[in-house]
Amino acid sequence: MAPNDSAETSEATGTVVGRRKAARYIVPFAVAGVAAATIGLVPALANSGDPDLPDITAQELIEKIAASDEQQLSGTVKVTTDLGIPSLGGLAGSFAPDAGSGGSSADPESKLMELASGTHTLRVAVDGPDKQRLSVLGEGSEYSLVHHGDDVWGYDSASNEVYHAESDGNEHAAGKAPEGVPGTPKELAEKALAAADDTTSVTVGGTAQVAGRDAYKLVIKPKQSGSTIGSVTVAVDASTGVPLKFTLAPSSGGKAAVDAGFTQVDFAKPNASSFSFTPPKGAKVTEADELEAEAGKNGAADTAHKDLSAMEDFQGLNVIGKGWSAVAEIALPGGAGLPAQGSGDMPAQAQQFLDALGDKVTGDFGSGTVFKTRLVNALLTDDGKVYVGAVTKDALVKAADAAE
């Protein structure tokens, strides 16, 4: 059946700066949020599929997602992220050399960045806004992040190290995702609805079984050319309206760039013990405030402060185009491009990482380097401008040429 006319909604943009001790467990959903930046709403009747469910329109399905209010659940989630970049596990120290000295392997801010690449199995439990547990299962080890009231605990069983933070009334330190950043498949779907425009086709693409539950498939595709995003599929529980799976397929083909979904889910109240944590005997316990103080001693805090001050010197953000083909143009402070190779301004491992991603390009804008992933690409010009978007290399060069 042909899709109907799309609905249009204005897009809100906000910037939230969280404190360093924030328990950031939203990766890779935050990465997937790039794909949900410009989503259209085109109602269409669901095709027949397996299981056999009543017909529903895309409009009705998104409203069902928005209306879902499950405050309690537990289950197992499999997350696979393939952005075409090396594993981030060993790179954090290269880009922030001081972070490892005096730090803690249980610090969630760096530990959970590993979810941005590879395949991971997670156990999750939620009991309202003040009780959550996330465990990342490894080979013979486990990393757990527990939020209970004002306390956030991180525990790395491999090193027997514990991280502890108190919220002090700060919602980010309490283990919640920063405002405006999608933290779950449900929040991603709501973001999609809020950012709807006429550049996107949204249909119901049949049905599926996810974690043993009947679900509808909401299929989102760009109408524009030049996007690196081929489609986004959200599997929505037919009974509760809770998104059970989120899949982002790149336009270049191949396996999904982001595939995050439940393999088992239970909407009953989790056992209270899931949210209790006591540091194991002999474990090294590091307080978040201690990490901040140590970072100040070795200069990392000063560096972060300078970087933040530099961010404030940006000459504004200019968006070229709209929808899926939109490109953000940013002028770097001082017009500085990448450090010259061999200059000593960048660690060797970080330089190798960037070289592996980069392609030299030229155009009417001059010359620069395009850094590629399967999802988001960025052009850094030699005169210190950045063009970034979920678009192809050619689209970035075209946008840079148009901006001159």
Side-chain angles (χ1 to χ4, degrees):
M1 179 174 292
N4 297 325
D5 293 338
S6 63
E8 295 185 0
T9 309
S10 61
E11 181 175 1
T13 304
T15 302
V16 178
V17 179
R19 296 169 60 183
R20 182 188 179 280
K21 64 181 181 180
R24 306 179 192 276
Y25 58 86
I26 58 174
V27 177
F29 292 129
V31 176
V34 175
T38 50
I39 303 299
L41 181 61
V42 185
L45 289 177
N47 297 322
S48 59
D50 184 16
D52 186 16
L53 296 173
D55 287 348
I56 192 171
T57 68
Q59 174 75 50
E60 291 169 338
L61 186 53
I62 292 181
E63 289 175 354
K64 189 178 184 71
I65 294 170
S68 64
D69 189 29
E70 295 293 330
Q71 295 290 314
Q72 299 169 333
L73 65 83
S74 60
T76 305
V77 177
K78 182 179 179 181
V79 177
T80 299
T81 309
D82 182 8
L83 301 180
I85 60 177
S87 172
L88 297 179
L91 284 167
S94 297
F95 287 99
D98 294 324
S101 58
S104 170
S105 67
D107 184 350
E109 188 165 334
S110 57
K111 185 69 177 180
L112 295 182
M113 277 299 293
E114 296 177 14
L115 296 182
S117 62
T119 298
H120 304 271
T121 299
L122 287 63
R123 283 202 300 257
V124 298
V126 178
D127 186 5
D130 295 323
K131 295 179 183 178
Q132 297 99 33
R133 184 185 186 104
L134 174 87
S135 296
V136 183
L137 309 183
E139 294 183 7
S141 64
E142 179 176 315
Y143 176 78
S144 294
L145 184 63
V146 181
H147 167 219
H148 191 167
D150 292 335
D151 292 302
V152 175
W153 296 94
Y155 176 60
D156 182 9
S157 69
S159 62
N160 199 29
E161 291 193 23
V162 174
Y163 166 94
H164 177 242
E166 293 183 2
S167 70
D168 298 326
N170 184 305
E171 68 173 0
H172 308 310
K176 300 177 183 177
E179 182 182 351
V181 177
T184 66
K186 180 178 185 294
E187 290 169 359
L188 274 168
E190 291 174 344
K191 250 337 188 192
L193 179 59
D197 67 21
D198 59 359
T199 67
T200 307
S201 164
V202 177
T203 60
V204 178
T207 62
Q209 277 243 330
V210 178
R213 299 183 66 89
D214 293 348
Y216 292 102
K217 294 191 296 183
L218 190 69
V219 182
I220 304 160
K221 294 182 177 181
K223 293 181 180 178
Q224 299 167 301
S225 61
S227 174
T228 56
I229 300 168
S231 66
V232 174
T233 302
V234 182
V236 183
D237 187 271
S239 176
T240 65
V242 173
L244 301 175
K245 189 173 183 180
F246 181 93
T247 305
L248 191 157
S251 58
S252 58
K255 60 182 179 180
V258 178
D259 189 60
F262 285 98
T263 58
Q264 182 274 326
V265 65
D266 186 347
F267 293 105
K269 181 182 177 68
N271 193 301
S273 63
S274 299
F275 312 107
S276 298
F277 181 82
T278 301
K281 184 177 181 180
K284 176 186 175 183
V285 180
T286 303
E287 296 291 333
D289 291 341
E290 294 176 12
L291 289 180
E292 293 178 353
E294 183 65 27
K297 289 179 182 178
N298 62 32
D302 290 339
T303 300
H305 176 73
K306 292 176 182 177
D307 290 344
L308 192 57
S309 297
M311 292 286 285
E312 294 171 350
D313 292 335
F314 277 169
Q315 299 172 17
L317 175 70
N318 178 38
V319 178
I320 303 168
K322 73 170 189 174
W324 299 82
S325 61
V327 173
E329 177 191 19
I330 306 169
L332 294 177
L338 282 176
Q341 190 167 5
S343 65
D345 293 335
M346 184 180 295
Q349 190 178 6
Q351 181 70 57
Q352 292 171 5
F353 175 74
L354 294 177
D355 288 345
L357 296 179
D359 282 345
K360 296 293 184 181
V361 295
T362 59
D364 294 341
F365 69 90
S367 60
T369 304
V370 172
F371 298 102
K372 312 177 300 297
T373 73
R374 299 178 70 212
L375 184 60
V376 179
N377 295 328
L379 165 60
L380 175 56
T381 68
D382 292 342
D383 62 357
K385 290 184 179 178
V386 177
Y387 298 88
V388 62
V391 298
T392 62
K393 178 175 70 175
D394 291 343
L396 284 177
V397 171
K398 183 178 180 180
D401 285 343
E404 289 300 312

